[in-house]
Amino acid sequence: MDEGDTQTVPVDNTYREVFVLHNREFQRYAVENGVYFAPVDDDEIERLQYMHGIFNTMFENRLIFPPIPRPRRILECGSGSGAWAAEVAELYSECEVIGIDIFPYFVPEDLPANLEFQVDDLNSPSTFQSNYFDLVHSRMMAGGINSNRWPSYMSDILRVLRPGGWCQMVEIYFNAQSDNGTLTANHALQVWSQSYMQSVSAYKDPRAPMRLENWMRQAGFVEVEARLLTLPLCGWSNDPRENAIGTTNRANVHRLLSSLALYPFTQALGMTNNEVQLLVAQARAEADNPSFKPGGSRSSRHSDIHRSQTPSKSGRHSDSRKRVRR
């Protein structure tokens, strides 16, 4: 937004401050306020880039699912590395694209002119004006949205969308399973999954991906569509497409098992760093083992895509809190 936007202010050092734990950098504001527990360093940015590539492979490079031929304004909640927002801004050069994240990640100088990144805590009420965006894209926010915030988060998205606008959401349910049933509760991948859900449960709802559809409907969205997909952890499948997704996902899984676990496992569960790294190493080995056919079973919601449209009218809301420009 331009300099006359009364809802944004320059970012201050509160959001830039980091601390080091077991050789990884974390944002102090996010951790101390229970917002986000993953690292924010270069290694994590690289992992987020891998994750974006995996989604592109899964979705056959389709960035937007709803029928919006000429969007004017798009908001991304949880922009991370900024890869999705940058690709959308390049694809729709006449569209205003805004990406929001809790951390002011490094912004390249050669970004599209129609793209802007801002810093904000999405657990607080949105300060964007009502009926403004054609699309709100929310991806991988289950680790950032507090468990009691989801209903009002949905309502905020509905409010800022124009009548007839769309919301697109993608989440992963981190519950590793095997299609052939050989992955049991005693295996490291399942121990990791259960430990992760336990370690963040004081703040987050790790089962949020399974509840998005109902929350959308309760908020007032109409034409809600949900798709449940398997996300293979390695290239075990004989199906060429599934094999390509799993092969691409391997590098992401290796990094994710450590980055998502390090802070909550050591601080909430009391595990030592050595214990965490041993579990991660065992889980990585299992994820690479094609005999497990590791991923999410077809009956479980391992990866969710949700799109939903606003009704003809939406309510109004105002808030005096300001976002900060990156």
Side-chain angles (χ1 to χ4, degrees):
M1 292 187 178
D2 59 31
E3 294 299 322
D5 176 16
T6 59
Q7 295 300 323
T8 62
V9 297
V11 65
D12 61 39
N13 290 330
T14 300
Y15 293 99
R16 300 186 188 279
E17 186 177 354
V18 298
F19 68 93
V20 177
L21 177 70
H22 301 305
N23 297 318
R24 300 299 303 270
E25 291 184 356
F26 296 82
Q27 184 190 31
R28 187 173 298 280
Y29 174 90
V31 169
E32 291 183 351
N33 290 276
V35 177
Y36 191 60
F37 304 112
V40 294
D41 50 26
D42 290 345
D43 286 348
E44 183 65 3
I45 293 175
E46 185 176 85
R47 187 194 72 78
L48 294 174
Q49 290 291 105
Y50 277 114
M51 190 78 252
H52 176 67
I54 292 159
F55 284 135
N56 278 351
T57 302
M58 290 182 69
F59 306 151
E60 298 176 345
N61 293 313
R62 188 175 179 182
L63 298 170
I64 296 176
F65 284 83
I68 314 175
R70 289 181 297 276
R72 296 167 299 171
R73 303 182 187 97
I74 291 175
L75 173 67
E76 182 179 27
C77 299
S79 51
S81 68
W84 184 91
E87 289 186 16
V88 167
E90 290 177 357
L91 185 63
Y92 300 100
S93 59
E94 301 300 316
C95 176
E96 175 189 8
V97 181
I98 299 175
I100 289 183
D101 202 275
I102 190 64
F103 185 69
Y105 290 96
F106 172 76
V107 177
E109 294 182 357
D110 59 346
L111 286 176
N114 57 324
L115 172 61
E116 179 183 356
F117 290 109
Q118 299 178 4
V119 177
D120 204 0
D121 182 355
L122 290 165
N123 288 295
S124 300
S126 173
T127 59
F128 286 106
Q129 66 189 68
S130 299
N131 308 321
Y132 191 74
F133 294 100
D134 298 283
L135 171 71
V136 174
H137 178 250
S138 175
R139 187 166 80 178
M140 302 302 292
M141 288 301 298
I145 298 297
N146 290 339
S147 55
N148 60 356
R149 165 64 173 156
W150 280 102
S152 59
Y153 178 61
M154 297 292 189
S155 296
D156 272 350
I157 292 175
L158 181 70
R159 180 186 63 78
V160 303
L161 283 167
R162 65 169 177 80
W166 291 86
C167 171
Q168 177 176 305
M169 311 188 85
V170 180
E171 294 291 339
I172 293 178
Y173 177 35
F174 291 106
N175 184 27
Q177 301 182 45
S178 58
D179 283 0
N180 59 7
T182 55
L183 196 66
T184 70
N186 294 324
H187 283 96
L189 276 170
Q190 258 296 301
V191 173
W192 187 98
S193 295
Q194 297 305 311
S195 297
Y196 175 75
M197 289 189 277
Q198 178 187 352
S199 68
V200 300
S201 61
Y203 297 93
K204 311 301 175 184
D205 184 352
R207 294 176 176 82
M210 300 184 290
R211 298 168 178 165
L212 295 182
E213 183 177 358
N214 287 337
W215 284 333
M216 283 182 167
R217 295 186 187 278
Q218 291 169 4
F221 284 99
V222 296
E223 298 186 36
V224 179
E225 175 186 327
R227 293 174 57 192
L228 313 179
L229 304 175
T230 297
L231 179 55
L233 303 185
C234 68
W236 58 262
S237 177
N238 292 325
D239 177 82
R241 182 176 178 276
E242 292 288 307
N243 186 282
I245 294 171
T247 300
T248 304
N249 194 27
R250 181 179 181 273
N252 170 61
V253 170
H254 274 230
R255 289 163 171 79
L256 176 152
L257 289 169
S258 178
S259 63
L260 293 194
L262 185 58
Y263 185 89
F265 283 27
T266 58
Q267 305 305 302
L269 301 183
M271 296 175 65
T272 66
N273 183 44
N274 287 341
E275 290 172 335
V276 173
Q277 298 309 321
L278 176 59
L279 176 62
V280 166
Q282 293 170 337
R284 285 172 175 166
E286 291 176 1
D288 285 345
N289 187 346
S291 66
F292 287 126
K293 297 184 178 181
S297 69
R298 291 290 178 183
S299 61
S300 71
R301 301 188 179 196
H302 195 92
S303 179
D304 288 339
I305 309 172
H306 295 260
R307 74 174 196 182
S308 55
Q309 189 174 31
T310 63
S312 59
K313 296 182 180 179
S314 61
R316 295 186 177 275
H317 173 80
S318 62
D319 189 271
S320 61
R321 192 177 47 84
K322 295 180 183 291
R323 305 179 306 278
V324 293
R325 296 188 296 276
R326 279 163 61 173

